[in-house]
Amino acid sequence: MARLGIILHGVTGRMGYNQHLVRSILAFRDQGGITLKSGEKLEIDPIIVGRNGAKMEEHARKHNIKRWSTDLDAALANPDDTVFFDAGTTLMRAELLSKALDAGKHVYCEKPISDDLQVAIDLARKARASGLKHGVVQDKLFLPGLRKLALLRDSGFFGKILSVRGEFGYWVFEGDWGVPAQRPSWNYRKGDGGGIILDMLCHWRYVLDNLFGEVKAVSCLGATHIPRRIDEQGQPYDCDTDDAAYATFELEGGAIAQINSSWAVRVRRDDLVTFQVDGTHGSAVAGLTKCWSQHRVNTPKPVWNPDQPQTIDFYKTWDEVPDTQVFDNGFKAQWEMFIRHVVEDAPWPYGLEAGAKGVQLAELGLKSWAERRWLDVPVLEF
């Protein structure tokens, strides 16, 4: 059996722990490894690294992880571990990835890869020049709902795509009346890398680019709807960055996308994120896992009449796109792609260049908000 040693940094946070450690890396271990094209089994051998030794030891004991450490330099110095992954804080990420590249490690990471575009570009260039494998998580592309949208697109179902409407978010409790907040307080502090524009426009860049057309221009309005919250220690703090973003994007090919992102919205829709795609021949609405479609021959013909209650149950005029295949956990599916890229040189389209494009759109979104105007999205040179 072949072996791949992976250094996992920052996997004590909710996303890093649940999606990357438990449901991806440990899932590979528990299924007996990954079967390579040669038929050989690849063992995934992780070491978890972080500053909090007690947490490292707790996770290692709970999940029977043989190796853990608080010494990142020592982990990077081990030639037997050839991949470094980071899911820590945004402000530390570029420096850690650069350090891992200097140590000769292939790198894979969460996004944003930085809060500064030039830093992100320089990092992508460094990774390219190193000859090492590199990648950034693009998890929403692997959601069953969005994979069904891609299936509809590839089949020609939409005809010409006209528009995309996205709604993302939910109510994050303020923490001041008995219900604790379900997001960490750093999300609402600019100095700690917080803000929904930096967080979510990185996602919307790869979703739009890969499914509907390259983003050519952006107009974005941010807001800080909840100015004061309660932190993890029960202390009040001022929120000095955006908790909502209302953005419009012009896409290559002429489609228009509008995506609202908010941690101050109550949900009355099919899922925490939904995308509606309207085309000349058909439309579809997708959430995290489910997708509904409506072809032009099945489209009802409503007539505006404010003098009587609506007679059409619009939800019933859509058909659910069936599950025609088994969808694995999206994070795990992309992890396997990256591992095959490292071990077998399999195709991989999600390098750190894609991460830099996400940072670019976030920066332009913030600038658009500050200057209250549309901004073109130039092509990045690497």
Side-chain angles (χ1 to χ4, degrees), residues 89-294:
T89 66
T90 300
L91 299 185
M92 292 177 58
R93 182 159 297 128
E95 181 180 349
L96 289 175
L97 294 176
S98 182
K99 193 173 186 178
L101 289 168
D102 288 339
K105 308 301 182 186
H106 308 295
V107 296
Y108 185 45
C109 67
E110 266 293 350
K111 77 225 128 288
I113 64 172
S114 174
D115 65 340
D116 182 275
L117 177 57
Q118 191 58 54
V119 171
I121 291 173
D122 291 344
L123 182 64
R125 288 173 177 167
K126 179 175 183 173
R128 279 185 133 187
S130 73
L132 295 160
K133 310 293 189 185
H134 53 95
V136 62
V137 175
Q138 314 269 261
D139 54 286
K140 287 178 175 52
L141 292 177
F142 295 83
L143 291 169
L146 270 67
R147 291 181 67 182
K148 292 171 186 176
L149 279 183
L151 183 69
L152 290 169
R153 178 204 60 193
D154 293 344
S155 74
F157 171 83
F158 294 113
K160 177 179 172 58
I161 293 178
L162 306 174
S163 64
V164 181
R165 291 174 175 82
E167 289 285 345
F168 165 81
Y170 45 92
W171 190 267
V172 177
F173 285 89
E174 304 93 318
D176 60 349
W177 57 276
V179 182
Q182 67 270 45
R183 292 192 69 90
S185 59
W186 70 262
N187 284 173
Y188 304 94
R189 291 191 292 261
K190 187 176 181 61
D192 292 333
I196 203 167
I197 293 176
L198 177 61
D199 187 357
M200 296 313 302
L201 262 64
C202 292
H203 284 282
W204 306 150
R205 181 68 189 268
Y206 70 74
V207 168
L208 295 172
D209 279 1
N210 285 278
L211 291 181
F212 309 115
E214 287 269 346
V215 179
K216 295 302 181 184
V218 59
S219 171
C220 182
L221 176 65
T224 306
H225 289 312
I226 308 296
R228 195 166 174 82
R229 293 178 177 272
I230 304 299
D231 67 16
E232 292 79 1
Q233 287 73 45
Q235 298 301 311
Y237 68 97
D238 293 328
C239 306
D240 64 355
T241 193
D242 42 291
D243 59 14
Y246 308 93
T248 304
F249 309 94
E250 182 182 0
L251 308 184
E252 186 175 23
I256 303 299
Q258 298 169 281
I259 305 180
N260 297 326
S261 311
S262 178
W263 291 321
V265 62
R266 294 180 175 89
V267 179
R268 193 178 191 273
R269 53 185 185 270
D270 295 307
D271 216 326
L272 297 187
V273 63
T274 57
F275 292 92
Q276 177 165 333
V277 183
D278 290 303
T280 54
H281 291 181
S283 298
V285 177
L288 294 170
T289 57
K290 294 183 179 295
C291 181
W292 294 265
S293 66
Q294 184 179 92

